[in-house]
Amino acid sequence: MLNEKDIISTLMMVREQNLDLRTVTVGINLTDCVSHDLETFKRKIYDKITRYAGQLVASCNRIERRYGIEVANKRISISPIGVVGAPFSSEQLVEVAVTLDKAAHELGVDFIGGFTALVEKGMSKGDQALIEAIPQALTETQRICSSVNVASTRAGINMDAILKMGQIIKQAAELTADDDGLAAAKLVVFANIPQDVPFMAGAYLGIGEADAVVSVGVSGPGVVKAALEKALAEDENMDLSRAADVIKQTAARLTRAGELVGREVAQLLNLPFGIVDLSLAPTPNRNDSVGEIFEAIGIPAFGAPGSTAFLSMLNDAVKKGGAFASSHVGGLSGAFIPVCEDLTIAESAANGTLSLEKLEAMTAVCSVGLDMVAIPGDTSAEMISAIIADEMAIGVINKKTTAARLIPAPGKKAGDIVRFGGLLGEGPVMAVNMGSHENRFVRLGGRIPAPIQSLVN
């Protein structure tokens, strides 16, 4: 039950820490737009998206004026194009991506997610065409994001798809070499992808979702950091149990505020409310960094010993606070650790405190995975696939979502800097052990079987 007085006090608090509502995302089901005729399909998806999301930006602006809290991003997620666009070739699907991009520009939204294929158990003709289209589609568009789910705890790991994605990521980066491989920064590979993620680049609307739905992504690493610092100042003998409670209570207040805003936007759009995704998603700015929370609790730098233990506590406390505050928590809901998007994490990677191997270990207890990681441009496609396979295995065995958003920066070597701008930020190129070598393991292909814990019926 939402307590409006508590929400108002929360909004007052978060304004002091410059909190924004990270995203309001309208999910739109495109299954009724399916057609074998390309022009008909493009017209139907453009019309439906602009009809359902036509007032999204205006509604968010209205809520901003009412509560004084910024909605940082207005976004759209759609049914996976690998499914609804199955009749078309890869060249035709690039045209579909351009149509989606045109709709995004027309509406003034930041991104459309859903240029997506779900291939954890095998690839259909439509999935194959979509995957082949990804490099060109992300090069020719500005506001399209793509995701490919290659593994799940129930199905195992599709190594054929992973081998292909290593090649696709290399191609996408090379096509945008002048922008440090920007296209690869809009592409993410998943295990156990949720159907209701409002955050990019993984957002898409699952087949089991409503015709249209409004979901919100609430962040707030700066608020959590401030709450911990305040609690430590008041009680210098505070232990970790108390620290977990502080994080949990703060997460609950943020979730309530986010749900209030989301429900009001949904009402203005005359659409059902979906979920709140409470994820500590940083930006490349001071006082909005997940890494700074680690420093506030006493860890000398992100990636130093103790980081994995604290991250597990942080992620768990955020989930518990969100679940307490709302009956409709979904998406990823936890802590993100994207290297280039977090100023403090990027600094740790640059000075050597954080290695790729340590980052991978930490992804076992965070909400996503190897996120916004720039790697040397000469890293082989097979080694990129091997890194993805390692990350997918963590998700499959632990029955959690994991992901890899890797950017092989053309012409860059370890220690160089890549710059993407905006929320994508900038950061160092991280070294990859034996990165330019071949990897015969991933070439074997096939499917790594689902683990024993998949047998839950």
Side-chain angles (χ1 to χ4, degrees):
M1 191 74 180
L2 293 173
N3 182 312
E4 191 162 342
K5 182 178 179 181
D6 185 43
I7 293 169
I8 291 171
S9 69
T10 301
L11 292 171
M12 292 175 64
M13 175 195 73
V14 298
R15 280 200 295 268
E16 294 175 3
Q17 277 88 45
N18 299 314
L19 177 79
D20 55 39
L21 190 65
R22 191 52 46 86
T23 182
V24 172
T25 302
V26 174
I28 302 174
N29 191 318
L30 299 182
T31 54
D32 58 350
C33 300
V34 172
S35 173
H36 284 277
D37 180 74
L38 179 61
E39 294 305 316
T40 300
F41 180 65
K42 291 195 298 183
R43 173 180 53 80
K44 290 172 78 172
I45 63 174
Y46 181 88
D47 289 348
K48 185 166 187 180
I49 289 170
T50 53
R51 182 170 72 253
Y52 275 100
Q55 295 301 311
L56 172 59
V57 173
S59 299
C60 290
N61 291 341
R62 181 174 171 182
I63 295 300
E64 288 177 351
R65 290 191 297 270
R66 179 172 182 181
Y67 290 109
I69 181 169
E70 179 188 3
V71 179
N73 295 280
K74 296 86 173 174
R75 297 167 171 170
I76 296 169
S77 63
I78 56 174
S79 305
I81 293 297
V83 175
V84 297
F88 304 117
S89 67
S90 58
E91 293 80 8
Q92 290 172 315
L93 288 175
V94 173
E95 293 187 46
V96 171
V98 171
T99 299
L100 294 171
D101 199 50
K102 179 183 175 183
H105 279 276
E106 174 71 21
L107 297 172
V109 300
D110 301 282
F111 287 110
I112 291 183
F115 203 74
T116 296
L118 308 174
V119 296
E120 58 268 23
K121 207 168 183 179
M123 288 186 281
S124 69
K125 180 180 177 182
D127 295 324
Q128 292 174 10
L130 181 128
I131 290 171
E132 290 285 354
I134 287 172
Q136 196 65 39
L138 297 184
T139 300
E140 292 190 20
T141 61
Q142 293 181 318
R143 308 189 188 197
I144 302 303
C145 289
S146 181
S147 57
V148 179
N149 194 73
V150 298
S152 74
T153 300
R154 296 301 298 269
I157 303 174
N158 185 343
M159 291 300 295
D160 293 327
I162 287 177
L163 181 61
K164 183 66 177 178
M165 289 311 300
Q167 299 164 4
I168 293 297
I169 290 167
K170 283 280 284 188
Q171 291 172 23
E174 288 166 357
L175 284 173
T176 50
D178 291 343
D179 296 311
D180 286 339
L182 176 62
K186 299 183 288 180
L187 169 60
V188 58
V189 182
F190 270 97
N192 294 320
I193 187 172
Q195 297 191 54
D196 53 7
V197 180
F199 286 101
M200 298 296 167
Y204 84 103
L205 188 73
I207 297 300
E209 296 284 333
D211 198 47
V213 64
V214 175
S215 295
V216 296
V218 183
S219 185
V223 178
V224 173
K225 174 198 170 193
L228 280 175
E229 289 175 336
K230 182 174 182 291
L232 284 165
E234 292 173 351
D235 180 8
E236 61 182 20
N237 295 316
M238 181 182 77
D239 64 11
L240 290 173
S241 296
R242 172 61 184 145
D245 281 340
V246 169
I247 297 168
K248 183 170 62 177
Q249 291 162 12
T250 304
R253 296 175 71 186
L254 296 175
T255 302
R256 286 181 177 141
E259 181 165 346
L260 172 69
V261 172
R263 287 189 180 278
E264 292 215 17
V265 172
Q267 186 174 20
L268 289 172
L269 294 175
N270 196 28
L271 295 175
F273 177 72
I275 57 96
V276 179
D277 185 332
L278 177 61
S279 291
L280 299 183
T283 65
N285 301 311
R286 294 290 178 195
N287 299 316
D288 199 20
S289 159
V290 170
E292 289 178 335
I293 303 174
F294 285 65
E295 296 174 355
I297 203 67
I299 294 172
F302 187 93
S307 294
T308 306
F310 177 65
L311 180 58
S312 69
M313 187 187 94
L314 175 65
N315 205 51
D316 180 67
V318 168
K319 289 181 183 292
K320 287 174 177 173
F324 171 79
S326 174
S327 297
H328 299 285
V329 173
L332 297 165
S333 288
F336 294 178
I337 49 174
V339 176
C340 290
E341 293 179 359
D342 187 301
L343 186 63
T344 306
I345 297 176
E347 289 174 350
S348 287
N351 64 31
T353 305
L354 178 68
S355 66
L356 185 62
E357 292 75 20
K358 177 62 175 179
L359 184 64
E360 182 184 297
M362 294 179 71
T363 65
V365 296
C366 78
S367 278
V368 192
L370 295 171
D371 196 8
M372 285 300 294
V373 179
I375 57 178
D378 65 355
T379 306
S380 70
E382 289 180 358
M383 278 299 184
I384 293 172
S385 296
I387 296 169
I388 294 170
D390 286 345
E391 189 61 33
M392 300 303 102
I394 290 172
V396 167
I397 293 297
N398 290 298
K399 297 187 286 187
K400 70 182 289 290
T401 299
T402 51
R405 189 160 42 148
L406 305 172
I407 306 106
K412 297 291 180 74
K413 61 184 185 301
D416 290 344
I417 301 297
V418 293
R419 294 179 174 87
F420 303 113
L423 287 177
L424 296 177
E426 63 181 64
V429 175
M430 300 185 73
V432 176
N433 285 336
M434 303 183 71
S436 60
H437 286 60
E438 295 182 355
N439 194 308
R440 292 170 55 195
F441 164 70
V442 297
R443 287 207 302 267
L444 294 174
R447 187 154 51 94
I448 296 178
I452 190 67
Q453 53 263 48
S454 68
L455 303 178
V456 295
N457 288 335

